Amino acid sequence: MKIDTTVHSGYTAISIAGEIDMYSSPALRDTLLTMAKKKEAIVIINLKDVKYIDSSGIATFVEALKKMLSYGGKLKMAQVPDRVMEIFNFSKLDKVFDIYGSIEDAANS
Amino acid sequence: MSNPIVVTIPSHPRFLSVVRAAALLAAEISGMSCSEAEDIKHAVDEACSNVIKYAYQCDCTRKITVKFDDNQEGFQVIIEDSGNKSRLEDIKIRELDEVRPGGLGIHFIKKAFNTVAFDKKKKNGNRLLLTRHKNTDKTA
């Protein structure tokens, strides 16, 4: 899994590529919890190149979302691949996360 | 599939990708659709993650053996370890409506397989038996 973080005017984008599983999710957790610790106002996760996500990856996103909501921050998802979306739907996380078709849509919402 | 496929990995999370690849191919060879095979892959991954977390308490130096077999009963996966005795009721689980970290793994396993049970005859370690019956639509 690769994580690229880029800071933009008004938001921080995190692009993830590869597989999010029990092995890789601790690195993702570190990245997201660091954002939450810095009280980043808007973080947009670009999932376009994610090939797989397991329950540890979902748990990581849920934990980060809860931390960010606690100080009024926003965690948004963009470009969610179909298979990842299926997993979000099954887990009922589609009702919890703000999901957008593109980074631009997420940034402008 | 005329013969079972057996994969043994060290109990380190970095090797879960090997089991996922094997699970996907075994499911595809047995004739499942892409979506069904992805569900199988996900379920086997979650089950092996549970072995590392619960049976081995994150000891990465042990072994996990996964056997895939397509027989009269259906598509069967047997996951064996030599760790602490596990019971399904001891594995963390949450309601799908309850949004909090953790507890989803079992839901993904039950999504892919009709029966999920530990073999009570195994004396040391665990043998998890997962069976997806033939002609079962578990996509609903």
Side-chain angles (χ1 to χ4, degrees):
Chain A
M1 182 192 69
K2 284 186 180 172
I3 302 172
D4 283 322
T5 303
T6 50
V7 179
H8 299 261
S9 173
Y11 69 93
T12 297
I14 298 175
S15 295
I16 305 168
E19 299 185 314
I20 307 173
D21 66 359
M22 188 186 181
Y23 179 55
S24 59
S25 61
L28 177 61
R29 184 174 184 270
D30 283 349
T31 301
L32 292 175
L33 294 190
T34 299
M35 298 278 163
K37 204 171 176 183
K38 290 195 287 186
K39 293 192 167 34
E40 290 281 349
I42 299 174
V43 175
I44 301 172
I45 311 280
N46 182 359
L47 293 168
K48 182 169 73 80
D49 295 320
V50 169
K51 309 295 180 203
Y52 176 75
I53 184 167
D54 75 348
S55 62
S56 70
I58 290 169
T60 299
F61 285 136
V62 171
E63 183 184 10
L65 176 70
K66 290 199 161 188
K67 296 255 190 221
M68 293 189 67
L69 288 176
S70 71
Y71 62 83
K74 288 184 177 176
L75 182 66
K76 303 177 180 185
M77 303 286 175
Q79 302 194 91
V80 183
D82 289 348
R83 177 64 195 173
V84 176
M85 196 66 210
E86 271 181 45
I87 290 165
F88 279 6
N89 290 340
F90 177 76
S91 313
K92 303 199 174 178
L93 295 180
D94 54 323
K95 295 176 174 61
V96 177
F97 291 116
D98 293 327
I99 297 171
Y100 300 88
S102 67
I103 296 280
E104 290 72 25
D105 287 349
N108 294 329
S109 68
Chain B
M1 198 184 301
S2 56
N3 294 302
I5 297 167
V6 181
V7 176
T8 298
I9 59 162
S11 59
H12 191 292
R14 86 160 64 113
F15 297 105
L16 289 171
S17 59
V18 175
V19 173
R20 288 200 296 273
L24 185 71
L25 289 170
E28 285 177 351
I29 289 168
S30 80
M32 286 186 217
S33 69
C34 273
S35 174
E36 291 167 334
E38 285 287 340
D39 283 348
I40 295 290
K41 175 182 93 170
H42 194 162
V44 173
D45 177 70
E46 296 286 353
C48 290
S49 297
N50 282 344
V51 169
I52 296 170
K53 274 188 276 188
Y54 297 102
Y56 288 146
Q57 301 284 302
C58 295
D59 176 353
C60 299
T61 64
R62 311 288 286 276
K63 298 279 182 207
I64 304 171
T65 298
V66 186
K67 179 178 165 187
F68 303 95
D69 195 10
D70 194 15
N71 55 38
Q72 288 172 335
E73 283 189 56
F75 183 77
Q76 196 169 48
V77 181
I78 300 172
I79 300 172
E80 291 200 58
D81 65 68
S82 57
N84 300 333
K85 275 287 174 201
S86 299
R87 299 183 312 159
L88 285 175
E89 50 269 38
D90 293 336
I91 294 173
K92 196 162 68 170
I93 187 165
R94 69 158 165 88
E95 294 301 318
L96 286 169
D97 287 323
E98 184 191 352
V99 178
R100 63 170 172 77
L104 276 174
I106 288 286
H107 289 293
F108 290 118
I109 296 169
K110 289 185 173 174
K111 179 174 186 269
F113 292 97
N114 298 94
T115 62
V116 178
F118 282 106
D119 183 352
K120 290 177 182 168
K121 287 183 281 188
K122 185 166 171 70
K123 288 183 180 169
N124 299 312
N126 303 286
R127 182 183 294 123
L128 181 65
L129 310 171
L130 306 171
T131 306
R132 183 188 179 95
H133 298 151
K134 295 272 186 197
N135 303 317
T136 298
D137 182 6
K138 286 193 68 61
T139 56

